[in-house]
């Protein structure tokens, strides 16, 4: 089952149509004959990593179908200004109604893939992963995390039910880091590693003692990160997070952490400037 | 019916929970007693215009309810780093499960309101409106356009069915601008004005002749905009669009256009850095 | 995106099947072999304007598909008793299960189109539009307003969000007609005209002064309508409403109003007597 | 579980709001303060049997809640012009947004109850039931059949899965009336009676022979109906259908049939002219 | 409309995918090329009556489509260990994602059909029906009752709205069995028989007097059942229920009852051990 | 967010009502006054571990509400024949309509919890977990896995997206066990352990070499299991599966495996015989 066949993705596109089209495209209905046919090109006005091309089919099908689609580049390709991503041919009404829904999806996913690719490039050679967070747009989690993968990043847990991540509140409530890890270990599914968020080296030491399998170093300076990495010494996977930017990501990676998580990948990636040009036949 | 009571908004929040929580918050279930209670503060780490506060109630209700909410600032307030937006008190499980869904909504809506407010401030005194476009995030149209209003902007049409906007494709298909406007006028609901997109002064002249009630000047230079405004001479509402930035928006507004539409308001506003701090009781 | 491809229309037909079929057509299952094939004719027992033919495909697809459909008349055609609207051929089970859902849709839409056409015919030559209202059947708004268009009428606003119509309550709440129009103008999307409901000539005068773009004359006598039309003198679009019947509609149109809105089009049009005859093969 | 608590009824009202309100009531938002409160009266302009009053609560809750409702007459009461059905008090925005959805429901259900009551009155004393058919408005089956009951009528089967009704097509496919009844009897749930549609006295005789438990006399003249009733002689329940009007229903009932089914109850009942008056506080 | 085309069945399969696949089959995505193709065989490890084969198409379509399906046995066939039920050929990803959803459906439906067939065989020749109850798995009512039919059983009422079954609570509330039957008769749809639950012979006598059309003998000993059957003497259909097992069902049937209802058919049938073997191409 | 507040659980209960109630409880409507009140007791006729009590509130709320609920035992309690699980008090119509939906849920969840508890008891002291599989009833995954936890078992992965489990097909497709593990490691989220299914000791050796973190020993004899456990020597978590019964589970546990997965927990647990007794007031 392809991600674009998932019920939740199909539902999202239906919802996108519902909110964009309402009871119909008035202007098109009044000015273009129902039987008119057209060709269309989707192109970019800026450099980007393309993500979301398979949605073209989903969107056009839901808009009425009958559209022939030719992808001109592969998903994940690095393209430049003026490059054509796909060519479409079919009923003009279907193409025109699809336009905005399609571009709204592609410009966002490509924006995320592009920003992810920049982070990935910035740490090239460091042997470290860029991963996303749960800071995604409501309703778009699955697609946005897909775009991160297209951009060369990796996914952190998808939801609260597919990973154990013990944060300060859990530690306080459980009466300390050690008992929190113990409690988690008792009930955690056997396929999940236990990850603990640490803000100080003392916490790192305690997490190691408690045999945490992943240690999240939260908002530490480069120097403290380095010391934490040394102290951990390969006994746990190390994730760094907090205040990561394109400017400091390489320094962070150079400390030897395994994983760097970046919320901005999904919550602040600017949209790519895509457009669709129509040629009536 | 408040916007936050709309079926589609309730459905969006339910969907946000479904994708973030899945079968339950494993870590919290394993480390925090079900009967634990907590207080929480939602605060901002950067200056912003707050938007989305009424969603706190919606989210907490869907997460299980029983949360007392105190809004510390009014919707639309300009706040600064460290300011507390709201205080919550209730079951720790409900607060922890609500946290990410809540912040993901608020950080996005506040981001849009904040960017809108900057555009609005940039043209202060020009007697000109900043409006949004249909370039919104799939599924979030209604909320994002609400955030634009909170930021002091105005809404362009909500969907393809609540406005007539004749673009180049419609003009080509109808055999010219004049017949396109005529066709639209025949069938347009009597409460809608007919808007026509023009790229040249010649088109502006034809649109005026055809008695278009709104003229959209697309991607024109400041100089051409000025000439177009003079030529229209108050006979139509004038909208400018295309390539609008915080740097050039005041120059555009100074040409005398009535409306400036900015896609970036909704597709590229960076999220505001909000966080929730929990205090277990 | 054709109106019949809209998610909400597809959902309505699914709902119609759910409520009509439940767990299956017991009688047919017990008496007709699953592999039986049949032809069917949909015909009318009375004169009408046909509306809803494209739904045949939607309904038959949802009922299991495999039906060949031949439309014998075009959507909107004026037909007489005995005329065949469409011929179908396919699995007997699919045709029998589709029958009632199909006829229930067509008889209602054709009823609305037919009544609309009678109103339109009654004011022929008056240069005036017949429009519908929001007095539609819950769940059928989009289809019923479509049927009005098929009958030669026009649509008033589709929903509360795609038009500004200031009524007495708004006027009272805003402290008068003039401030109400002013308040509306401040926030109304720039593509919408402001319509004001007036019951007296004094209100008409005030509405003109406030530069209302559409004036709704509510429940006025023919004489008062005439005086209102003269007073307005082309400075606003004029809509008449209230107590409009086939008997008085021409007199109303003759006063010079631009638009006559008729609630009965959608809330009281009697169903057309259609039937489907099946021929087993 | 009250009919108005059924998931499908709740969903219908949500859908009615979605289609009527869209993204919000623009005019009210622009002209009435959010905190304004009002009282409202729902009254009728014509005589009718009231049906649908419990929906007031459902509708107001979905519109935002906080409305106090006083029903002034009981469901099913016969009221006259000017009578007030219910008084409401609450937030003005909630009342205004509820108005049209509420009236659209009540005017339709009351229309059906009223027409049903007229048919019931017309055969008063005949010991015969008026029943509805499956010719209902798509999506409203449950509510419309409820309104028939409120009007004093009875329900025929609700769906294709809760009754056995053998029609001409089933007879043809099964190779005759007798084998069709036999086939149905083999598989029919033991709590259902087998009903057979007959158009001639010969068919009636065959249906009796086959031990049909209900015989539907379709489109027979009064005289033929009388002869059929005599021939059946109490050995089966008798239903008459086809071309039933207020003019001929008593004659039909007088033939001694047990049940008269009338499609017009649900497909052609004109809406009752109800209105809501608002008093701002 | 085939049962597998019913909206509720399509929705159930979508829901089954949503809960089993979530955001995608991680292991398959990481280890198998998207374009890989495979063949698969669905076979049984134990004897059973096969039910649910038509779901293969539904499931594979929803999982992405492109699968060629060959059913090797007919629905309802009695098969033995090692027998192949169906062969599939198509994209490996689609087959792998479909596997668990498909088997979970088939193993349950076949389990029910198999258990039903054993009950049916146990009373072979007794002229008595095995019927199901409303004790079904939430969400699977329609499919489970279908499986009962495939196993040779019959369905009791599908829901609370398609049959009249008066139990002790109704009798108490109505002030006795006789008034309860009378009340039911007044309002029951004319196509439904009135069934009354009786626990004693006295109640049976009263039910006969009240002209109940079906009498449900609840939890009676074989001897009491026999006496009840004799007392009823063909004047009502007789259903026996309560504590029915494969051990006692023949004795119950031999008392002469018409119908035996067995809750275990649907609530306690063990799943059949089916498996799918994949052959990569 | 409690599991019973999850949108998918709420939807399941709504669906259960839709399929059980349809258009309403006919018998109750005809025989019991709408205002009647009653008390009810839910009790068990056999020993079991109770699971699902929190659903009582969910079900009664959806059925109309107004029910006071007193749980007489805690969730997960071991109860015996005749024990009362909960007492309810409220509108008779709400209680009667809730009865079957409620019992259908509770009897199934308690059946699963009870069977799980028997498996857990059977390996008491072995230091080994009983876990479930993905062989659950379509639509009930989350609730059934919850019942396993109530019975003292643990959950295996919830879905295909929250765990890596490499089976034979993945191994074949990837060109061997070692490359399959390598491929999985490249893309697996960092919080997930990689589990590999092995059928032979040679595969176990290869899996160890490939550094699989969990090894699933599939369908091995007790002797082979023991040898595999020794060979693994603590270097991976060990899961045993295939043909596990109450008879052999202790022997399997005694080999030293960490985890035993049992499909029967969810696919073949017989329902517990629960009933609800009503006392009208």
């Amino acid at each position: 089952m392809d991600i674009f066949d998932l019920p939740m993705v199909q539902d999202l596109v239906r919802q996108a149509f519902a909110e964009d089209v309402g009871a119909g495209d008035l202007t098109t209905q009044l000015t273009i004959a129902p039987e008119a046919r057209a060709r269309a090109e989707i192109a970019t006005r800026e450099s980007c990593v393309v993500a979301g091309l398979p949605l073209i089919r989903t969107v056009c099908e839901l808009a009425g179908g009958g559209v022939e689609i030719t992808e001109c580049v592969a998903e994940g390709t690095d393209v430049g200004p003026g490059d054509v991503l796909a060519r479409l041919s079919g009923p003009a009404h279907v193409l025109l109604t699809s336009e905005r829904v399609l571009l709204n999806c592609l410009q966002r996913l490509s924006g995320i893939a592009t920003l992810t690719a920049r982070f990935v490039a910035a740490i090239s050679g460091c042997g470290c992963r860029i991963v996303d967070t749960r800071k995604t747009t409501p309703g778009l989690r699955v697609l946005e995390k897909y775009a991160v993968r297209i951009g060369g990043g990796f996914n952190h847990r998808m939801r609260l039910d597919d990973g154990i991540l013990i944060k300060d509140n859990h530690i306080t409530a459980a009466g300390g880091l050690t008992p929190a890890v113990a409690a988690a270990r008792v009930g955690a599914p056997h396929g999940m590693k236990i990850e603990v968020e640490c803000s100080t080296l003392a916490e790192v030491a305690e997490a190691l003692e408690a045999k945490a399998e992943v240690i999240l170093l939260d908002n530490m300076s480069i120097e403290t990160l380095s010391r934490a990495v040394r102290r951990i010494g390969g006994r746990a996977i190390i994730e760094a997070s907090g205040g990561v930017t394109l400017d400091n990501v390489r320094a962070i990676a150079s400390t030897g952490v395994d994983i760097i998580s970046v919320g901005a990948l999904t919550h602040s990636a600017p949209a790519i400037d895509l457009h669709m040009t129509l040629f009536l036949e």
Side-chain angles (χ1 to χ4, degrees), chain A:
Chain A
M1 191 172 225
D2 192 280
I3 189 180
F4 301 99
D5 292 321
L6 292 174
M8 70 182 108
V9 173
Q10 298 275 329
D11 288 348
L12 176 69
V13 177
R14 278 171 62 96
Q15 170 59 18
F17 268 121
E19 73 178 8
D20 190 51
V21 176
D25 179 350
L26 264 183
T27 314
T28 297
Q29 284 165 8
L30 293 172
T31 58
I32 303 188
E35 68 278 8
R37 296 185 61 79
R39 287 176 302 108
E41 280 182 6
I42 299 176
T44 178
R45 292 201 183 89
E46 50 180 322
S47 293
C48 69
V49 173
V50 179
L53 292 177
L55 276 171
I56 302 178
R57 187 163 309 281
T58 307
V59 170
C60 289
E61 279 307 308
L62 278 171
V67 176
E68 202 178 320
I69 300 163
T70 311
E71 299 188 2
C72 304
V73 299
E75 184 80 343
T77 303
D78 221 320
V79 296
D83 282 357
V84 174
L85 311 187
R87 291 199 168 78
L88 288 66
S89 170
H93 278 230
V94 173
L95 293 175
L96 276 163
T97 316
S98 301
E99 178 181 2
R100 183 50 36 216
V101 169
L102 207 43
L103 294 181
N104 284 353
C105 290
L106 265 65
Q107 73 193 14
R108 176 158 199 85
L109 299 188
S110 299
I112 291 171
T114 303
L115 183 57
T116 303
R118 293 182 66 193
F119 273 95
V120 170
I123 62 164
S124 146
C126 294
C128 173
R129 283 185 179 188
I130 294 295
V131 309
D132 51 30
T133 65
R134 285 169 44 241
K135 298 181 178 177
T136 57
T137 311
L140 299 183
R141 174 76 51 92
V142 168
L143 287 176
E144 293 189 345
K145 284 189 166 250
Y146 161 83
V148 166
R149 296 198 300 272
I150 292 299
F154 291 83
N155 295 333
H156 209 301
R157 59 179 174 171
M158 187 62 72
R159 284 172 307 272
L160 291 168
D161 74 354
D162 67 338
I164 304 285
L165 177 41
I166 299 173
K167 300 195 176 180
D168 49 359
N169 290 313
H170 306 108
I171 291 173
T172 308
L177 190 151
T178 305
V181 172
R185 183 159 287 129
V186 166
H190 65 268
M192 291 184 192
K193 293 174 184 158
I194 292 175
E195 178 163 4
V196 184
E197 187 181 274
C198 299
S199 305
T200 65
L201 292 175
E203 286 174 356
V204 169
E206 186 174 357
L208 280 174
E209 194 70 27
K211 299 206 184 306
E213 292 152 303
V214 186
I215 292 178
L216 168 55
L217 304 175
D218 189 42
N219 262 315
M220 289 184 176
S221 67
I222 297 293
E223 192 194 324
T224 315
L225 278 176
S226 295
R227 295 175 58 191
V229 170
R230 280 197 302 275
R231 184 156 316 176
I232 294 168
R235 285 173 290 169
I237 298 170
I238 309 174
E239 174 181 347
S241 82
V244 182
T245 65
L246 281 167
D247 289 337
N248 66 13
V249 69
R250 189 163 187 94
I252 294 171
S254 303
T255 62
V257 301
D258 302 296
I259 285 152
I260 302 172
S261 54
V262 187
L265 297 186
T266 51
H267 69 55
S268 294
I272 299 299
D273 190 1
L274 305 177
H275 64 284
M276 185 166 116
T277 315
L278 209 85
F279 308 94
L280 288 155
E281 290 179 351

